[in-house]
Amino acid sequence: MGLCRQDRRRGIGDPACPKQDIGPARLQRMMIEFSEDERATLIDLLVGIIEHDPLPLSQRIQRLRSILGKLRQAPELPPEEPDEIDDEPPVL
């Protein structure tokens, strides 16, 4: 299956290769679990590729940035506490 080629410019597929199903079952989200070491390695690789690419605005790099954003988990911040309100006017 890895040897199948398609001429994407003309939309012609290799007749020897079976058509791939792109129906709803194939479009479902895949959940992949990574260990912390695996996640860190993927993040390091993506950052290196993104930082050293000569075309930082290319569609490829934008897609890699999107993947990187999904891999990096934003640290959870503690809930903000409201500032204390001082009812007394300032003394001048």
Side-chain angles (χ1 to χ4, degrees):
M1 191 91 116
L3 298 177
C4 294
R5 292 185 287 165
Q6 290 194 7
D7 187 344
R8 291 189 177 125
R9 289 169 285 171
R10 295 188 294 160
I12 301 171
D14 186 345
C17 295
K19 290 187 178 187
Q20 293 188 4
D21 180 24
I22 57 170
R26 187 157 166 86
L27 296 176
Q28 290 178 350
R29 247 178 223 237
M30 292 177 46
M31 295 300 294
I32 301 173
E33 297 294 325
F34 294 110
S35 70
E36 290 303 314
D37 289 339
E38 291 169 334
R39 182 181 302 276
T41 301
L42 284 173
I43 289 171
D44 289 344
L45 287 170
L46 286 171
V47 168
I49 292 169
I50 291 167
E51 287 180 352
H52 294 98
D53 195 90
L55 302 170
L57 300 177
S58 70
Q59 190 175 26
R60 173 180 170 263
I61 296 301
Q62 296 304 317
R63 191 171 299 128
L64 292 177
R65 285 179 203 258
S66 172
I67 293 169
L68 180 61
K70 292 175 184 178
L71 283 173
R72 282 185 174 165
Q73 293 180 349
E76 290 191 28
L77 300 174
E80 287 189 31
E81 295 180 18
D83 294 334
E84 291 184 27
I85 299 174
D86 190 11
D87 290 336
E88 297 179 28
V91 178
L92 297 177

